[in-house]
């Protein structure tokens, strides 16, 4: 997740949930994340049987309103892990096979399999690079526009592939737009309905939703921003999320993301052989399997999960395989620097102590 757009730095206000109990090192680290790259941030850190919920910065530019500890936000590409779980459940039910050719549903796509969509080795062009982005004027004109999956897919397929199927890892949102359509063609119900039925209701994720074209975020929430052409910040909390579709439309909270990742890694959602495949990289020495990514910490832990970039919100949710160490974080970026450069050390500190 790379964001490099210059904007003036913003003031921050640190406000942990319980000052007397908050780990001071983590609070200082979260404050540094916001000082360097954000308007505000909230995090949930779980270590064995303890939990710390922290926050830093402000919920809205120009105010001292603290970031809500239970705030809703757009989770971006963490949506892919939810969708991948549904696809693998269909594989377990023998309604779908990982090596099924995508041409079964999209005849114009040759040589690509469902597995290659899941692990980003399809070679299909990323629709993201066909869309205007801030500070391009066209970007702001599309704020309320409804995009269809077919429209986005065709924009991507109008471009040549970036490589042969299975040849290399190349992240592409197009892969998950296609998977969303395949789920509907296989089941007769939308990917959103399937995620709601199979995951959200099953795990009682009360604050997780698929908004479709609804522009609002549920309360409470921090405001999110994108850069204006004049390098100020534009409040972009409300927008038509059909732009993200199956590749990233979902809304959640740090607590719900922790519950989902815990259920997934504990084997509650998939049989062991498919969870193992989910954690198997698509390319040698890769760090992305079937909708699931991982990071190796400086203290030797491997944490599984995903991160997401939904323009005005950037999020991370990772847990170790033994479930003893878990971190879910959301940042509303200010685009003064690359947020990964400061978030990665914070996550390492949260896992390693």
């Amino acid at each position: 997740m790379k964001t490099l757009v210059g904007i003036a730095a913003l003031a921050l206000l640190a406000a942990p949930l319980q000052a007397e109990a908050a780990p001071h090192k983590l609070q200082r680290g979260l404050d540094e994340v916001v000082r360097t790259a954000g308007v505000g941030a909230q995090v949930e850190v779980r270590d064995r049987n303890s939990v710390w919920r922290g926050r830093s910065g402000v919920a809205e530019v120009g105010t001292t309103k603290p970031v809500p500890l239970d705030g809703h936000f757009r989770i971006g590409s963490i949506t892919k892990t939810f969708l991948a779980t549904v696809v693998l459940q269909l594989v377990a039910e023998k309604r779908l096979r990982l090596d099924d050719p995508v041409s079964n549903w999209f005849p114009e796509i040759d040589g690509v399999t469902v597995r290659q969509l899941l692990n980003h080795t399809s070679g299909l062009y990323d629709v993201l690079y066909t869309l205007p982005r801030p500070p391009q004027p066209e970007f702001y004109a599309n704020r309320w526009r409804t995009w269809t999956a077919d429209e986005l897919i065709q924009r991507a397929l109008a471009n040549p592939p970036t490589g042969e199927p299975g040849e290399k890892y190349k992240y592409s949102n197009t892969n998950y737009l296609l998977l969303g359509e395949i789920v509907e063609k296989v089941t007769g119900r939308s990917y959103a309905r399937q995620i709601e039925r199979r995951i959200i209701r099953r795990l009682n994720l009360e604050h997780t939703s698929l908004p479709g074209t609804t522009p609002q975020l549920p309360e409470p929430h921090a405001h999110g921003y994108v850069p204006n052409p004049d390098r100020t910040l534009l409040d972009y909390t409300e927008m038509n999320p059909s732009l993200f579709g199956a590749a990233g439309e979902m809304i959640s909270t740090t607590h719900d993301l922790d519950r989902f990742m815990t259920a997934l890694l504990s084997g509650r959602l998939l049989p062991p052989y498919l969870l193992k495949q989910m954690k198997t990289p698509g390319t040698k020495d890769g760090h992305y399997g079937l909708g699931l990514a991982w990071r190796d910490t400086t203290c030797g832990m491997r944490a599984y999960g995903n991160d997401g970039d939904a323009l005005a919100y950037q999020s991370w949710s990772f847990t170790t395989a033994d479930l003893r160490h878990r971190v879910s974080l959301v940042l509303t970026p200010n685009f003064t620097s690359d947020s990964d450069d400061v978030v990665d050390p914070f996550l390492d500190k949260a896992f390693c102590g």
Side-chain angles (χ1 to χ4, degrees):
M1 172 190 319
K2 303 296 180 186
T3 51
L4 290 168
V5 183
I7 298 175
L10 298 165
L12 64 86
L13 173 70
L17 175 61
Q18 293 178 318
E20 69 278 10
H24 298 302
K25 288 183 179 180
L26 284 180
Q27 185 64 58
R28 286 197 299 269
L30 192 63
D31 292 344
E32 179 64 14
V33 167
V34 171
R35 185 191 69 79
T36 304
V39 175
Q42 69 181 81
V43 66
E44 180 170 316
V45 179
R46 291 181 178 267
D47 185 358
R48 297 179 176 86
N49 295 318
S50 66
V51 59
W52 177 69
R53 297 182 180 93
R55 58 187 172 189
S56 186
V58 294
E60 186 175 359
V61 170
T63 75
T64 59
K65 183 179 177 181
V67 175
L69 288 163
D70 56 349
H72 298 81
F73 51 90
R74 304 188 191 280
I75 69 173
S77 287
I78 301 178
T79 301
K80 293 179 172 70
T81 308
F82 282 82
L83 179 55
T85 301
V86 168
V87 171
L88 292 174
Q89 288 176 344
L90 293 173
V91 171
E93 295 164 10
K94 302 190 184 306
R95 302 172 71 180
L96 196 60
R97 295 181 305 157
L98 287 172
D99 295 322
D100 278 341
V102 176
S103 59
N104 285 355
W105 305 279
F106 293 88
E108 67 271 37
I109 299 176
D110 188 40
V112 176
T113 66
V114 169
R115 184 192 305 274
Q116 290 163 348
L117 295 181
L118 286 164
N119 64 22
H120 293 296
T121 62
S122 71
L124 295 174
Y125 194 83
D126 191 346
V127 66
L128 176 67
Y129 300 112
T130 75
L131 298 167
R133 303 175 74 182
Q136 295 173 283
E138 297 85 356
F139 169 80
Y140 308 99
N142 288 333
R143 179 170 184 171
W144 311 112
R145 174 178 175 173
T146 293
W147 299 84
T148 67
D150 182 66
E151 181 181 13
L152 292 168
I153 289 167
Q154 294 309 314
R155 288 178 70 101
L157 296 184
N159 294 273
T162 58
E164 292 297 318
E167 181 180 62
K168 62 181 179 180
Y169 170 85
K170 182 70 173 177
Y171 196 92
S172 175
N173 289 283
T174 309
N175 294 324
Y176 278 76
L177 294 174
L178 287 163
L179 286 167
E181 294 300 282
I182 289 170
V183 166
E184 182 167 357
K185 292 174 186 294
V186 169
T187 67
R189 293 181 178 270
S190 70
Y191 71 86
R193 290 289 297 276
Q194 292 293 346
I195 290 174
E196 288 167 356
R197 182 175 71 84
R198 293 169 175 269
I199 300 176
I200 294 176
R201 293 177 192 169
R202 179 174 175 180
L203 300 180
N204 197 27
L205 304 180
E206 296 180 350
H207 304 290
T208 299
S209 61
L210 293 101
T213 60
T214 302
Q216 293 84 14
L217 277 178
E219 294 287 354
H221 62 259
H223 289 243
Y225 301 86
V226 297
N228 264 314
D230 64 0
R231 299 164 67 90
T232 58
L233 289 178
L234 171 67
D235 191 323
Y236 217 72
T237 307
E238 295 186 1
M239 51 87 67
N240 190 325
S242 63
L243 172 68
F244 307 124
E249 72 157 287
M250 290 180 70
I251 293 168
S252 193
T253 63
T254 54
H255 183 62
D256 272 12
L257 288 183
D258 176 75
R259 292 182 67 181
F260 166 64
M261 290 297 179
T262 299
L264 178 62
L265 271 296
S266 68
R268 289 179 58 193
L269 298 175
L270 293 173
Y273 79 98
L274 285 174
L275 182 57
K276 181 179 180 180
Q277 292 218 39
M278 202 177 200
K279 295 191 285 186
T280 301
T283 56
K284 184 180 179 182
D285 301 323
H287 286 81
Y288 198 100
L290 305 183
L292 191 68
W294 50 90
R295 55 176 59 230
D296 293 317
T297 67
T298 57
C299 56
M301 293 183 187
R302 171 163 287 188
Y304 294 92
N306 213 338
D307 60 42
D309 187 342
L311 294 172
Y313 299 88
Q314 296 173 358
S315 52
W316 296 257
S317 187
F318 287 87
T319 180
T320 54
D322 62 7
L323 311 180
R324 296 175 70 184
H325 304 273
R326 291 134 55 188
V327 183
S328 292
L329 166 71
V330 60
L331 174 72
T332 48
N334 63 15
F335 305 96
T336 58
S337 62
D338 186 342
S339 56
D340 284 334
D341 290 343
V342 66
V343 170
D344 286 348
F346 175 83
L347 292 175
D348 197 74
K349 181 183 296 185
F351 279 109
C352 295

